[in-house]
């Protein structure tokens, strides 16, 4: 099994939750698989744990990928790291398929010289945001990191500490009002592909905003977006 290639022109491609089309999402294995390919960036998702650490996972519990209803924000990092995920074939014989830490993710993306795209899933306090920034800073990787979130306040908290830090707002549909708010706060676009049009991309670019979209696994759609001049495409399997 391998990735699906497409004519990406000048588009930067992001591996969604690591190379999740081949390896189990948001695991170190998925990050390494993406690192060994031509992706510009590797995306992941982080939650706060009960003991004040940061763990990686897309959902607020691991039931979908482990069969165990374990909520990320209710458990300690030590407890969460004992969970084993299902492999793609449904078995649980790979001991490496476990929750990853923010720190291990950063170590991998830096090793493979990929751009880090960190989705802030929890509603983080300003103190927690500051702690996340310090962790990324400890790897000397802030210049190669973009923070994304559906929670707008997470991004404004990032900007209050680091006004020039790269941030993208995750949302469903581009509107004139949304563009004005993003321009005001110097936050770029990360929008659902189903609602995205060529005219919306052009309007964002005219306003000085970069445009990322999620999640594109159809090569024909990706090539259409590339022809429209999109900046970034996030995908589970396209390369």
């Amino acid at each position: 099994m391998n990735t699906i290639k497409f004519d990406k022109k000048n588009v930067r491609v992001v591996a969604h939750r690591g190379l999740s089309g081949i390896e189990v999402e948001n695991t170190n294995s998925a990050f390494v698989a993406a690192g060994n390919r031509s992706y510009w960036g590797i995306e992941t998702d982080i939650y706060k744990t009960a003991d004040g650490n940061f763990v990686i996972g897309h959902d607020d519990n691991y039931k979908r990928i482990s069969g165990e209803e374990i909520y990320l924000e209710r458990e300690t990092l030590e407890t969460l790291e004992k969970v084993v995920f299902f492999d793609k074939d449904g078995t649980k014989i790979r001991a490496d398929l476990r929750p990853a830490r923010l720190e291990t993710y950063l170590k991998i993306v830096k090793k493979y010289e990929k751009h880090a795209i960190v989705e802030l899933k929890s509603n983080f306090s300003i103190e927690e945001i500051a702690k996340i920034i310090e962790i990324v800073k400890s790897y000397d990787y802030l210049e190669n990191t973009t923070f994304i979130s559906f929670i707008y306040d997470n991004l404004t908290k990032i900007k209050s500490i680091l006004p020039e830090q790269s941030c993208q707002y995750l949302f469903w549909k581009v509107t004139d009002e949304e563009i004005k708010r993003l321009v005001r706060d110097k936050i770029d676009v990360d929008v659902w592909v189903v609602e995205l049009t060529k005219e919306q991309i052009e309007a964002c670019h005219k306003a000085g905003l970069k445009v990322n979209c999620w999640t594109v696994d159809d090569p024909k759609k990706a090539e259409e977006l590339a022809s429209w001049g999109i900046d970034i495409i996030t995908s589970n399997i396209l390369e």
Side-chain angles (χ1 to χ4, degrees):
M1 187 175 184
N2 208 337
T3 56
I4 299 170
K5 306 298 192 297
F6 74 104
D7 182 8
K8 60 187 177 183
K9 302 187 186 303
N10 295 320
V11 175
R12 293 171 169 177
V13 183
V14 172
H16 186 229
R17 309 178 203 172
L19 185 43
S20 56
I22 293 177
E23 290 285 1
V24 178
E25 65 182 58
N26 275 329
T27 58
N28 291 333
S29 298
F31 303 145
V32 170
N36 277 307
R37 290 171 170 84
S38 66
Y39 291 101
W40 169 74
I42 301 174
E43 187 265 354
T44 197
D45 315 89
I46 62 169
Y47 283 87
K48 56 187 175 185
T49 64
D51 57 344
N53 289 296
F54 304 104
V55 72
I56 287 173
H58 181 267
D59 304 342
D60 64 354
N61 72 76
Y62 284 139
K63 187 173 183 179
R64 177 174 55 86
I65 56 176
S66 75
E68 303 174 61
E69 195 158 343
I70 300 175
Y71 286 84
L72 281 63
E73 294 186 330
R74 299 179 189 174
E75 304 292 343
T76 64
L77 183 60
E78 182 180 4
T79 297
L80 293 169
E81 287 183 319
K82 294 176 182 176
V83 177
V84 178
F85 299 144
F86 295 118
D87 202 348
K88 290 289 190 177
D89 61 3
T91 63
K92 270 196 176 187
I93 61 173
R94 284 181 59 183
D96 62 314
L97 298 181
R98 297 176 183 269
R101 301 183 182 206
L102 173 60
E103 291 86 347
T104 55
Y105 160 79
L106 290 167
K107 186 173 183 180
I108 291 168
V109 294
K110 183 172 183 178
K111 177 179 180 179
Y112 290 97
E113 299 180 334
K114 304 298 183 180
H115 195 83
I117 298 91
V118 180
E119 181 175 346
L120 306 169
K121 299 289 283 191
S122 298
N123 191 354
F124 293 107
S125 68
I126 189 67
E127 292 79 14
E128 290 162 341
I129 290 290
K131 187 175 179 181
I132 292 166
I133 287 172
E134 284 305 310
I135 291 171
V136 179
K137 189 176 180 180
S138 73
Y139 285 83
D140 192 25
Y141 223 62
L142 282 171
E143 289 187 4
N144 295 294
T145 297
T146 294
F147 293 101
I148 66 176
S149 188
F150 282 102
I151 302 171
Y152 201 80
D153 283 352
N154 280 337
L155 303 177
T156 58
K157 287 169 186 170
I158 292 279
K159 287 289 190 175
S160 72
I161 299 171
L162 297 171
E164 301 305 316
Q165 184 63 42
S166 175
C167 291
Q168 297 173 359
Y169 180 45
L170 287 160
F171 62 107
W172 300 95
K173 186 174 182 178
V174 175
T175 64
D176 291 341
E177 293 74 19
E178 204 64 82
I179 289 175
K180 289 176 183 177
R181 179 167 72 150
L182 293 170
V183 169
R184 180 196 68 197
D185 295 330
K186 297 183 179 180
I187 294 172
D188 288 314
V189 172
D190 197 344
V191 69
W192 190 36
V193 64
V194 173
E195 295 286 352
L196 188 59
T197 66
K198 180 180 180 181
E199 291 72 25
Q200 290 170 348
I201 293 171
E202 290 172 349
C204 290
H205 285 166
K206 186 176 180 180
L209 300 173
K210 295 178 183 176
V211 184
N212 185 0
C213 70
W214 49 274
T215 305
V216 187
D217 291 337
D218 178 357
K220 289 184 179 179
K221 182 61 179 178
E223 288 175 356
E224 179 181 53
L225 290 162
S227 72
W228 291 351
I230 198 166
D231 302 287
I232 306 165
I233 289 174
T234 301
S235 178
N236 296 308
I237 196 66
L238 299 183
E239 182 185 1

